[in-house]
Amino acid sequence: MKVVLFCGGLGMRMREDAASAPKPMAMIGDRPLLWHVMRYYAHFGHTEFVLCLGYGAAAVKDYFLRYDETISNDFTLTMGVRDVHLFSSDITNWNITFIDTGLHATIGERLMRIREHVEDDPYFLANYADTLTDAPLPQMIERFRDSTATASLLAVPVQSTHHVIDIDGHDQVSRVRPIRDLMQWENGGYFILRPEIFAELRTGEDLVPHALERLLPQRRLIAQRYTGFWRAADTFKDRAELEQLYRSGRCPWMLWDSNRHGVTAGAGSAAIHEVGQ
């Protein structure tokens, strides 16, 4: 099953200056965010990728053209650098298509521009290139297959650490509580889509909310709630937290690595619950 990844945004909240690498290329350990997302899908056998490029396209292309398997795999070196025997590999069986989808295109427009690469498939996967999770992908796909929906998304609890306040008629605060206590859900990406989604896309609009909103009257959008590990690397603080998890060896999203796939509070044991159709 093909995996479409949106890699072309400017990522202004992550950038240090105009020459900064694109957000999906921010490093977590020895590999960029994009690699971690791709490795998650590959863990479940989905190794055919379509990368929607824009800002920083050259950096993404160069990274894979110069990819060094020895960075994240054990190996034996003999005869100097002339003979390297890898004990395992990351991307040997990956098929990666690089498509320039424009510098300022919306995600919906990027999806429109790679239509020819996925429209003949019964369904395909799509995601942002900077969100990590340990959600059970096979279970998500099975639920989607059994539905009549055009699109499915991962719904996760609101990630904000801020608090909301209740105020009475005299401007007195009557309650302070974390936003997460409201049990609102946010779009966590990890989309599963049927080609019918292309009929809902428009130039100048986005996948979320515009195209997905058009699916609501016919109940063709489902959300799969997940309360386990999910993180978006939107800011330097987010990336620093992911880096700290990596350094501590507690990386719930690294399902492919038994040495680093630790468990954090609330992670790893949550089930997917389907909402609406």
Side-chain angles (χ1 to χ4, degrees):
M1 191 182 306
K2 293 186 180 72
V3 182
V4 177
L5 295 176
F6 307 115
C7 313
L10 294 176
M12 296 301 293
R13 284 180 292 178
M14 182 72 83
R15 297 173 65 191
E16 293 179 327
D17 54 55
S20 295
K23 184 166 62 169
M25 297 306 294
M27 303 298 287
I28 303 296
D30 297 323
R31 294 295 190 193
L33 273 164
L34 174 59
W35 178 90
H36 286 269
V37 175
M38 296 171 76
R39 195 67 178 79
Y40 165 84
Y41 283 106
H43 173 73
F44 293 109
H46 307 293
T47 56
E48 192 167 355
F49 300 97
V50 180
L51 303 187
C52 300
L53 305 177
Y55 170 77
V60 177
K61 293 176 181 178
D62 188 65
Y63 177 78
F64 286 103
L65 287 171
R66 301 174 182 271
Y67 193 85
D68 184 356
E69 290 275 16
T70 64
I71 291 177
S72 51
N73 294 286
D74 296 335
F75 63 94
T76 296
L77 175 67
T78 59
M79 300 178 65
V81 296
R82 288 177 288 176
D83 190 356
V84 175
H85 173 68
L86 289 165
F87 297 155
S88 59
S89 64
D90 299 323
I91 72 171
T92 300
N93 66 334
W94 292 9
N95 184 332
I96 309 173
T97 299
F98 300 81
I99 304 295
D100 189 342
T101 56
L103 185 61
H104 300 292
T106 67
I107 285 175
E109 290 171 326
R110 296 188 194 284
L111 190 54
M112 292 169 64
R113 294 176 190 179
I114 58 89
R115 177 173 182 168
E116 64 181 293
H117 298 280
V118 297
E119 64 180 341
D120 293 331
D121 298 344
Y123 38 79
F124 59 95
L125 307 173
N127 196 17
Y128 310 114
D130 58 1
T131 60
L132 304 176
T133 191
D134 63 351
L137 185 60
Q139 184 178 339
M140 294 161 58
I141 294 173
E142 181 179 359
R143 285 183 177 273
F144 181 75
R145 283 174 175 165
D146 293 341
S147 77
T148 58
T150 297
S152 165
L153 57 80
L154 191 67
V156 297
V158 175
Q159 301 296 303
S160 174
T161 58
H162 296 145
H163 291 74
V164 294
I165 56 177
D166 295 342
I167 307 172
D168 64 21
H170 301 286
D171 292 336
Q172 295 296 311
V173 176
S174 58
R175 188 176 184 184
V176 179
R177 49 182 167 160
I179 288 180
R180 288 177 65 96
D181 286 358
L182 300 179
M183 282 314 296
Q184 296 293 309
W185 300 88
E186 67 174 281
N187 163 34
Y190 291 87
F191 303 100
I192 310 172
L193 304 169
R194 287 190 168 94
E196 288 80 7
I197 191 63
F198 291 108
E200 313 301 335
L201 298 172
R202 307 285 188 274
T203 300
E205 295 185 354
D206 215 331
L207 175 64
V208 183
H210 305 105
L212 295 190
E213 283 184 338
R214 293 191 178 97
L215 302 177
L216 301 183
Q218 295 81 32
R219 300 175 64 82
R220 291 189 291 138
L221 172 65
I222 60 174
Q224 304 197 48
R225 291 180 293 179
Y226 187 61
T227 57
F229 180 86
W230 182 92
R231 294 289 188 278
D234 285 331
T235 66
F236 284 109
K237 180 176 180 291
D238 296 331
R239 196 202 66 80
E241 290 175 352
L242 289 170
E243 180 69 16
Q244 179 56 39
L245 287 174
Y246 182 87
R247 296 302 176 191
S248 68
R250 297 169 63 85
C251 309
W253 71 90
M254 294 185 69
L255 300 171
W256 59 90
D257 189 338
S258 60
N259 293 321
R260 290 192 175 276
H261 179 217
V263 177
T264 58
S269 59
I272 286 288
H273 303 279
E274 184 177 338
V275 183
Q277 181 181 329

